[in-house]
Amino acid sequence: MHQRTSEENASFDWLVSGAGCAGLSLLVRLIERGKFKDKKILLVDKELKNKHDRTWCFWEVGEGTFEPIVYKRWKDLWFHSYYLSKSLELQPYQYKLIRGIDFYNYCLDIIQQQPNITFLQAPVEKVFSNKEEGTGVVAGGKVYKSQYVFNSILFQKPQLKQHQYWLLQHFKGWVIETASDVFDAQSGTLMDFRTSQSEGATFFYVLPFAPNKALVEYTLFSKEILQPEAYQSALKNYLKETWKLEDYKVLEEEWGVIPMTNASFPTVNGNIVHLGTAGGQTKASSGYTFQFIQKQTAAIVGSLVSKGHPFTGDLNGRRFHFYDSVLLHILHHRTLPGDVIFSHLFQKNKAGQVFRFLDNDTSLPQELRIISTLPTMPFLKAAVVRSLPF
């Protein structure tokens, strides 16, 4: 990979718009296949991706493509609420965390060894695909064209239709270091709802890296984000009241907002293939994205190899869109508190079964078994609002 200069030709075979998780995952998978060295590829992003800005957490069976950079994994997790405290049975899954800077460095090191891939640092203002203009992007005020554009940039919020909802999963995280050993480094907390639910479904998670070091994150599902001091105050209070901690150093901070919506995100517009959140790969009911990106990019590469084009169709299934819509309806209208929903879910099901359900990997009988463990009337009323897709 080399840095683009203004003298180079502005036409490419493929163009990747956005060097985040989705764009970099796609390129790494393309390179791994070893079949596309003849393709001239342009990667465009406004950032150099040389800073740590986020972490990705996900559950996985066995080892995945990015196993070499998994920073920490846990075989044991806890769930807490005012109704339930339970050690979760994860098998056959492990819960894993990848740091953003490790992911960027790993992917870019691989990509930089490819002479057919060019990187352009510039803001992407527009992606287009039509008969008049062809297919390409406008970046830094210049036009670059290609056969396909793989775009992971969400340029604007989609226009919501009836019974479509737009919630935000917003979070503030601290990596803290304590003076003495406090944490069990082999066991994390997936969700701790023992906090005020006045703003919506609200929980903490705690992922220890060492007995004296952990990521502590404050997460909310709501319509609006909070003032910055509200997150700071919530983290301090949680550490003081739940962990009896006042003496600690904040080594790193992270902040993020993820849309949770059942709005339609087109995966394809002409010869534009939308990736990641922009392509509907953020799980509407949980906000998890990393593994859905991996499924999508693997499917795209598989289609390019077997069919010669990147079009894969809907990978997530209509049933799961329906389930997500029902839960979003409940969370949006607050007909049932989020802590109650998740308490029922984990009280009556093994975590591995829940993870598989949230991964959209279950059969209809398995899904009905899980759904039957949730409070009947709120979900039934929400389901009536939607038309069954099967």
Side-chain angles (χ1 to χ4, degrees):
M1 184 178 76
H2 58 286
Q3 194 83 14
R4 190 186 184 282
T5 64
S6 58
E7 289 76 25
E8 293 180 76
N9 194 297
S11 181
F12 296 83
D13 293 303
W14 299 340
L15 199 150
V16 178
S17 169
C21 181
L24 295 180
S25 295
L26 177 65
L27 285 172
V28 167
R29 290 182 181 278
L30 287 169
I31 293 165
E32 283 183 340
R33 281 300 182 101
K35 295 181 178 294
F36 306 106
K37 294 182 180 180
D38 61 327
K39 298 296 183 181
K40 188 177 179 183
I41 303 172
L42 179 66
L43 170 64
V44 187
D45 196 286
K46 65 180 180 180
E47 305 289 346
L48 290 175
K49 298 299 178 181
N50 57 2
K51 297 178 181 178
H52 177 60
D53 57 0
R54 69 195 64 212
T55 56
W56 287 286
C57 296
F58 56 97
W59 48 79
E60 188 170 43
V61 177
E63 296 187 352
T65 298
F66 297 102
E67 197 67 26
I69 52 170
V70 171
Y71 185 74
K72 180 69 176 177
R73 56 182 59 78
W74 298 267
K75 294 182 179 180
D76 298 305
L77 292 176
W78 280 86
F79 175 89
H80 297 291
S81 72
Y82 291 120
Y83 314 99
L84 174 71
S85 282
K86 182 180 179 181
S87 178
L88 304 178
E89 299 178 47
L90 304 188
Q91 296 81 5
Y93 294 90
Q94 291 185 11
Y95 198 69
K96 303 179 181 181
L97 179 146
I98 292 177
R99 288 165 50 86
I101 189 61
D102 296 337
F103 180 84
Y104 301 142
N105 288 341
Y106 179 79
C107 294
L108 291 172
D109 284 347
I110 293 172
I111 293 167
Q112 284 170 356
Q113 299 174 41
Q114 312 305 311
N116 62 312
I117 301 177
T118 298
F119 175 71
L120 170 66
Q121 185 185 4
V124 179
E125 289 107 21
K126 175 185 175 183
V127 296
F128 59 88
S129 183
N130 54 63
K131 292 182 179 179
E132 293 75 22
E133 299 176 285
T135 299
V137 306
V138 178
K142 296 183 179 180
V143 177
Y144 303 90
K145 293 190 175 183
S146 63
Q147 180 185 10
Y148 299 117
V149 170
F150 301 97
N151 172 62
S152 61
I153 298 174
L154 183 62
F155 290 96
Q156 60 185 11
K157 175 181 174 180
Q159 187 171 4
L160 300 181
K161 300 178 182 178
Q162 186 179 19
H163 305 312
Q164 290 184 339
Y165 308 105
W166 183 275
L167 293 180
L168 300 174
Q169 180 180 148
H170 44 115
F171 50 88
K172 177 78 172 182
W174 287 347
V175 174
I176 66 166
E177 184 178 70
T178 58
S180 59
D181 291 349
V182 175
F183 306 105
D184 177 357
Q186 305 308 313
S187 180
T189 299
L190 179 67
M191 288 177 159
D192 189 343
F193 281 96
R194 295 173 298 182
T195 187
S196 171
Q197 303 295 305
S198 62
E199 299 290 343
T202 306
F203 60 92
F204 294 86
Y205 63 83
V206 181
L207 299 176
F209 303 147
N212 67 332
K213 186 178 179 182
L215 170 63
V216 183
E217 197 128 324
Y218 178 54
T219 304
L220 304 94
F221 301 167
S222 63
K223 298 175 186 178
E224 305 289 341
I225 63 174
L226 308 180
Q227 294 297 318
E229 57 270 16
Y231 302 94
Q232 306 280 112
S233 176
L235 284 163
K236 289 180 179 178
N237 289 340
Y238 176 71
L239 289 169
K240 180 179 179 180
E241 295 173 7
T242 302
W243 290 89
K244 312 305 179 188
L245 280 175
E246 294 185 77
D247 182 19
Y248 53 85
K249 295 179 181 178
V250 178
L251 304 180
E252 296 176 358
E253 297 188 13
E254 66 176 41
W255 152 259
V257 181
I258 300 170
M260 297 173 63
T261 179
N262 60 340
S264 297
F265 288 88
T267 55
V268 174
N269 287 122
N271 277 357
I272 301 171
V273 179
H274 295 290
L275 309 175
T277 297
Q281 299 307 308
T282 293
K283 178 72 170 173
S285 58
S286 68
Y288 281 98
T289 307
F290 187 86
Q291 286 294 68
F292 286 99
I293 285 175
Q294 304 316 315
K295 290 181 182 179
Q296 184 194 29
T297 52
I300 289 171
V301 174
S303 181
L304 285 167
V305 171
S306 63
K307 301 176 183 178
H309 65 70
F311 308 124
T312 63
D314 184 3
L315 298 173
N316 295 318
R318 296 178 64 195
R319 291 202 315 273
F320 295 101
H321 289 300
F322 172 72
Y323 303 148
D324 288 339
S325 295
V326 170
L327 182 55
L328 281 175
H329 177 96
I330 291 171
L331 293 175
H332 175 87
H333 293 287
R334 304 183 72 172
T335 54
L336 191 66
D339 58 338
V340 173
I341 296 171
F342 285 99
S343 293
H344 276 267
L345 195 61
F346 284 110
Q347 182 177 26
K348 300 180 180 182
N349 301 282
K350 292 181 179 180
Q353 296 169 331
V354 176
F355 288 171
R356 191 175 179 191
F357 177 59
L358 294 176
D359 277 344
N360 299 354
D361 283 338
T362 44
S363 65
L364 180 57
Q366 291 170 327
E367 293 147 24
L368 294 177
R369 166 71 182 87
I370 291 174
I371 291 169
S372 71
T373 65
L374 296 169
T376 303
M377 288 310 298
F379 279 86
L380 183 59
K381 290 177 180 179
V384 168
V385 175
R386 310 291 304 177
S387 297
L388 286 172
F390 52 90

